[in-house]
Amino acid sequence: MKKSLKERLAILSDAAKYDASCASSGTTKRDSSASGGLGSTEGSGICHAYAPDGRCISLLKILLTNFCVYDCAYCINRSSSNVERARFTPEEVIWLTLEFYRRNYIEGLFLSSGIIRSSDHTMEEMVRIARELRTIHNFRGYIHLKSIPEASAHLIEEAGLYADRLSINIELPTDAGIGQFAPEKRPDNIRRSMGNLRLKIEEMAEPTLQTKRRKKFAPAGQSTQMIVGADGANDATILGTSARLYGSYGLKRVYYSAFSPIPDSSRNLPLIKPPLMREHRLYQADWLYRFYGFDIGEITAGGVNGMLDLDLDPKLAWALGHRDRFPVDINRADREMLLRVPGFGTKTVKGILSSRRFRRLRLDDLKRLGVSLKKVQPFVVCDGWTPHRLVDRSDLRAMFQPKPEQLSLL
Ligand code: SF4
């Protein structure tokens, strides 16, 4: 008996939850009329995503289908899996998106899919959904489309005309890992797709002599996802791959998704989930690389066997390994060094640099900027405060280690 739309929505939204790459950062809303308060967000298939400005948005996050002709060992939807299968038609996805949007449940759509028949056939259906939403139904919400591996370049290019963001999952940090666990995928093809997409995004962003206006083409750029803990790659390898992806393909984000053991999985896969804290530390390290001027080698050098320290955030771990660089005089240090002080975010550093043009700063000024004094005191000097030898104390690491009640993520 054919499953009802509601049953299929339950299956295909649950199947989509393994994809972490659905934040909608880096774009603006297409329709100011949709800026009213959000309605219920309790429905099946609705996920929350956070933009960098802290705005929380709701997306309908679903798969077009969880049937798949590929057999990636780490994936619940692989062809050899016993999972319950379902499929939407493009018309059903369009209808669901419009209904949820009109009821103010969502601000956009995140659409991925298993591969049915062929990569091109699947990608064609996904592009059709985005095209009809935009051109027939005048849908102004956010659209994030997953690009299907091996899909033709012209289809991915067409997707960029209608989607705000496109993403192609690299899934594993090394070609050897992809070869072992996703033998039908070609890492070269994934990188080629990313490269083509980057060129197209840059080309379309250039104003032409005739229009002098930028054309809209995947304005929120491209992103990818890496699974953490499925293969043996350490954090240094994962972050090194991320750095190459950011540098070579202009990715907006690399998302890290802690591997979840799945039923009937390959015997080569681990039986346990890596600690969620590992995923969290990778995000922190990724942030240091992109916004704080650290290179990957600096971030991972202090760890054991290329792994980040789970007990301390990577910036604090770096500072404790480089105590000779501290304390930092917040009234004189340059931006680069201020960004390396544990407890200082980019906004704090901006606030320090602008405030100190008018007067010399004290600890109270840091407090006003929202800084945790307990965290920064060993690392800074300012008017009225010097930490003396505090930064050299042998128990400094223990002072910052999480208490037992804070270990829920470990
Ligand atoms: S191609 Fe995608 S959906 Fe299909 S098995 Fe691989 S990861 Fe899963």
Side-chain angles (χ1 to χ4, degrees), residues 63 66-79 113-115 149 171 182 185:
L63 300 188
N66 64 345
F67 285 100
C68 191
V69 294
Y70 280 21
D71 200 38
C72 307
Y74 48 79
C75 178
I76 189 83
N77 302 318
R78 68 196 188 281
S79 57
S113 184
I115 301 171
E171 303 290 18
K185 289 187 178 174

Side-chain angles (χ1 to χ4, degrees), residues 11-29:
I11 294 169
L12 293 171
S13 58
D14 190 63
K17 75 183 177 195
Y18 296 95
D19 202 311
S21 55
C22 73
S24 68
S25 54
T27 189
T28 51
K29 288 166 86 169

Side-chain angles (χ1 to χ4, degrees), residues 145-173:
L145 287 188
K146 298 303 297 215
S147 302
I148 300 299
E150 318 293 326
S152 299
H154 74 275
L155 289 170
I156 294 179
E157 280 187 18
E158 193 184 352
L161 296 174
Y162 308 113
D164 293 278
R165 172 166 285 182
L166 293 172
S167 51
I168 305 171
N169 283 356
I170 192 101
E171 303 290 18
L172 294 168

Side-chain angles (χ1 to χ4, degrees), residues 289-308:
Y289 171 72
R290 289 188 297 139
F291 301 114
Y292 288 78
F294 284 81
D295 67 43
I296 298 297
E298 285 180 297
I299 300 167
T300 55
V304 178
N305 298 328
M307 299 297 278
L308 296 170

Side-chain angles (χ1 to χ4, degrees), residues 63-101:
L63 300 188
L64 176 61
T65 178
N66 64 345
F67 285 100
C68 191
V69 294
Y70 280 21
D71 200 38
C72 307
Y74 48 79
C75 178
I76 189 83
N77 302 318
R78 68 196 188 281
S79 57
S80 61
S81 167
N82 286 325
V83 73
E84 191 174 14
R85 306 281 175 173
R87 181 181 172 176
F88 287 130
T89 63
E91 289 74 18
E92 286 169 335
V93 174
I94 291 168
W95 184 84
L96 280 169
T97 306
L98 294 173
E99 280 303 301
F100 277 45
Y101 192 70

